[in-house]
Amino acid sequence: VWAADADAAPTKPDGFLKGHTSPVLTMAATARALYSGSSDKTVREWDLKSLQLVRAFVVPEFTAPVYALTATDDGSLFTGSSDLRLYSGCHCAQQLPNAHQGPVFAVAAAKGAVYSGGGDGAVKVWAHSVGASEPLQPQDEFVAAGTPGKGAPPITSVHVLAVVGDLLVVGGNNGALQVWGALDLLNTFVRPHRRRRRRTPPPHAALGPRRTP
């Protein structure tokens, strides 16, 4: 753990968080806690003030490495492994073993929705209300099959997701980043399609992957 100092580069870490027994693959943070996922098939929560372990999420047991985490300030934690899970506090509120046909490599959250990407090349959208106790509900899905140029391989496995404003950025195994829009953060997800040429796009239009001229 390193202190962020805008005036001077740190010369040594302020502390270490020890507990995982295999490489750490992913992290997520809120204003109060840090979460880490590892190939040791565990998720751990850390107190950044005391630099101490708060708890380990091991029930139900993970059967594969934990590839992805995303957390929200209301205490919800989403994990991607061989399945997709929603934790509320230390309790596993929902476990979706068939979320994808393969491992869940990527998870991202925005207001009203959670996005998961898997080894099947699909991105799935799940309705989730912050602070609500209702389970995740499947809302939409699409295959990130677009290619950046002629002859480029398609995305057959989604490895990372990021929500940036009203855009969803998808990174996969073909070395390219796809930018999808538009995301309606109040009404979860608007299914994307290819952009049509028009002089004045309508507001909140559903756009396909943005292409570089």
Side-chain angles (χ1 to χ4, degrees), residues 27-124:
M27 293 187 294
T30 66
R32 297 171 293 182
L34 173 74
Y35 302 90
S36 58
S38 168
S39 56
D40 64 7
K41 305 177 185 177
T42 68
V43 173
R44 297 175 185 268
E45 178 183 348
W46 309 89
D47 185 319
L48 289 179
K49 290 185 178 181
S50 65
L51 301 183
Q52 297 296 315
L53 177 67
V54 177
R55 62 174 66 93
F57 298 82
V58 293
V59 179
E61 183 178 1
F62 288 95
T63 60
V66 180
Y67 301 108
L69 297 172
T70 192
T72 57
D73 287 332
D74 72 321
S76 297
L77 176 69
F78 306 91
T79 67
S81 181
S82 59
D83 53 17
L84 175 65
R85 298 184 189 183
L86 163 60
Y87 284 89
S88 180
C90 60
H91 171 64
C92 182
Q94 190 175 10
Q95 184 177 5
L96 299 169
N98 299 315
H100 287 268
Q101 296 179 10
V104 180
F105 289 131
V107 186
K111 186 177 180 181
V114 175
Y115 308 91
S116 62
D120 53 4
V123 175
K124 295 194 176 182

Side-chain angles (χ1 to χ4, degrees), residues 100-106 117-123 143-145 153-161 170-176:
H100 287 268
Q101 296 179 10
V104 180
F105 289 131
D120 53 4
V123 175
V143 176
I155 290 179
T156 57
S157 180
V158 176
H159 291 176
V160 64
L161 297 170
V170 181
N173 62 315
N174 69 344

